[in-house]
Amino acid sequence: MAKRALITGITGQDGSYLAELLLKKGYEVHGMVRRSSEEKFERIAHLQGKVHLHQGDLLDQFSLAALLSLTQPDEVYNLAAQSFVPTSWNQPVLTGEFTALGVTKMLEAIRHTRPQVRFYQASSSEMFGKVLEVPQTEDTPFYPRSPYGVAKAYGHHITVNYRESFKLFAVSGILFNHESPRRGLEFVTRKVTYNVARIKHGLQDKLPMGNLDAKRDWGFAGDYVDAMWRMLQQDEPDDYVVSTNETHTVKELVEIAFARVGLDWQKYVFTDPAFVRPAEVDLLIGDAAKAKKKLGWEPTVRFKELVEMMVDADLERVKAGQR
């Protein structure tokens, strides 16, 4: 009989790639979606009829318990969150409710409704924030620098607590930045590749940017969802850093993206103080040695390849009049 998986945040970048991966592996895939006035399912439009969508909300514990009873999953992937760091400054309480307390509500629902489930929590490198060592491993202390990072740290620790206190199979993947053509336009990688495509097509002539010296460890979302799945196939639950162990600046991102379309970035890019964060994180670079050793996982898409893949997809999108 096919394994069943429930994905919260299935309409997001990671949710869509994870749904594809699980379908290929023969899973019956269920996704939780929030009722909203504007349904945004474009990332999973190509999976219509292949995945089962259900309404539910991380803030409503009864809806979570009902959904677990209805779908009877073997695996639950909690990818839903308020996931954009700048928004967490504007909506810190909402971010805390979804990204922190939402994890507790899901864990409680699992504990009471379906304790045999294998649970994956999407932790984040933003928990390291003001980093206390470089590179960061599973043992590096957290020092989050945004309401989002703080909320993710809570979600991480509560997952560990439920694993240790109630013997749930609960794991956290500490994922560093991961991008793709399905990334939202508010994220810096996609902001760059989309605007480069618009500049190339003659639709604009400037690209305002924040801190070009900010460094990140950027990987491909399609690789990272494979690591999530591998974590839930282990004999024992544990937490893993998932990263490329390479760091690149926003400036490098810009250079590669403009070079892909044959343009000189310096003619178009300028720094706008409005895009500089109140508190910037330091050098985020992950050491995924444990994931490589225990999960047999390593990234397949390198940084340059990733940026070029995103630029190519955005060139097609802009040409077709899409966002």
Side-chain angles (χ1 to χ4, degrees):
M1 194 168 147
K3 269 191 184 175
R4 281 191 296 272
L6 172 63
I7 304 171
T8 73
I10 194 170
T11 59
Q13 167 188 258
D14 293 8
S16 67
Y17 280 108
L18 179 61
E20 283 177 0
L21 177 82
L22 296 177
L23 286 169
K24 275 185 194 146
K25 293 185 182 294
Y27 278 64
E28 182 182 304
V29 178
H30 297 265
M32 186 181 90
V33 294
R34 281 165 63 210
R35 173 78 189 93
S36 70
S37 55
E38 189 188 354
E39 305 288 9
K40 289 196 168 174
F41 295 164
E42 63 262 22
R43 290 190 186 95
I44 55 169
H46 63 296
L47 302 177
Q48 205 172 352
K50 296 177 184 174
V51 297
H52 309 271
L53 300 181
H54 310 270
Q55 285 186 4
D57 198 306
L58 279 181
L59 302 187
D60 181 349
Q61 194 168 327
F62 296 105
S63 75
L64 300 179
L67 189 50
L68 288 167
S69 295
L70 174 71
T71 57
Q72 298 283 301
D74 301 294
E75 298 173 1
V76 172
Y77 296 86
N78 185 41
L79 310 186
Q82 191 300 99
S83 64
F84 186 45
V85 174
T87 297
S88 77
W89 291 103
N90 301 330
Q91 298 180 307
V93 175
L94 181 77
T95 299
E97 286 175 339
F98 272 115
T99 309
L101 289 179
V103 186
T104 318
K105 290 181 179 182
M106 179 58 92
L107 285 164
E108 270 293 281
I110 286 171
R111 180 165 81 91
H112 291 293
T113 313
R114 199 163 168 79
Q116 70 271 40
V117 141
R118 293 191 166 210
F119 173 77
Y120 172 86
Q121 166 60 15
S123 286
S124 165
S125 59
E126 290 284 335
M127 301 186 304
F128 295 122
K130 190 174 174 63
V131 301
L132 300 178
E133 63 179 0
V134 179
Q136 293 88 52
T137 71
E138 293 79 8
D139 300 319
T140 303
F142 300 145
Y143 193 145
R145 299 268 279 168
S146 67
Y148 171 73
V150 171
K152 277 290 184 187
Y154 175 101
H156 180 88
H157 285 305
I158 202 73
T159 301
V160 173
N161 269 259
Y162 271 68
R163 175 170 76 219
E164 294 176 351
S165 303
F166 304 117
K167 302 294 177 264
L168 296 184
F169 193 108
V171 309
S172 278
I174 306 171
L175 270 55
F176 280 66
N177 292 59
H178 45 289
E179 318 296 316
S180 75
R182 298 179 197 171
R183 193 57 144 151
L185 284 171
E186 66 273 24
F187 292 89
V188 69
T189 45
R190 184 73 204 295
K191 171 186 168 177
V192 168
T193 62
Y194 178 70
N195 283 289
V196 162
R198 283 180 54 82
I199 289 168
K200 181 63 177 175
H201 282 296
L203 297 173
Q204 68 188 61
D205 57 7
K206 286 279 180 278
L207 174 53
M209 293 295 293
N211 180 10
L212 290 178
D213 296 322
K215 292 179 176 176
R216 292 290 185 277
D217 181 328
W218 277 299
F220 172 51
D223 284 341
Y224 284 36
V225 299
D226 177 53
M228 298 176 187
W229 175 78
R230 288 174 188 238
M231 287 178 214
L232 293 192
Q233 313 315 310
Q234 302 306 301
D235 293 335
E236 297 294 328
D238 205 350
D239 306 322
Y240 297 87
V241 161
V242 180
S243 65
T244 67
N245 203 12
E246 284 179 16
T247 186
H248 298 275
T249 61
V250 174
K251 185 179 168 187
E252 284 177 77
L253 162 68
V254 167
E255 286 171 345
I256 293 169
F258 275 94
R260 184 65 171 176
V261 297
L263 296 175
D264 176 3
W265 70 275
Q266 289 170 310
K267 291 181 181 169
Y268 305 94
V269 174
F270 69 98
T271 303
D272 182 341
F275 294 111
V276 178
R277 283 188 191 183
E280 180 57 81
V281 296
D282 298 324
L283 182 51
L284 285 175
I285 175 168
D287 180 355
K290 180 176 169 185
K292 184 176 180 178
K293 184 180 173 193
K294 291 196 171 180
L295 306 177
W297 178 87
E298 48 190 319
T300 64
V301 178
R302 310 316 304 187
F303 180 67
K304 182 169 184 280
E305 198 183 336
L306 171 64
V307 177
E308 291 178 345
M309 173 205 302
M310 291 176 68
V311 170
D312 292 351
D314 275 328
L315 283 169
E316 288 300 313
R317 270 202 194 98
V318 171
K319 190 176 171 185
Q322 299 168 339
R323 279 176 74 95

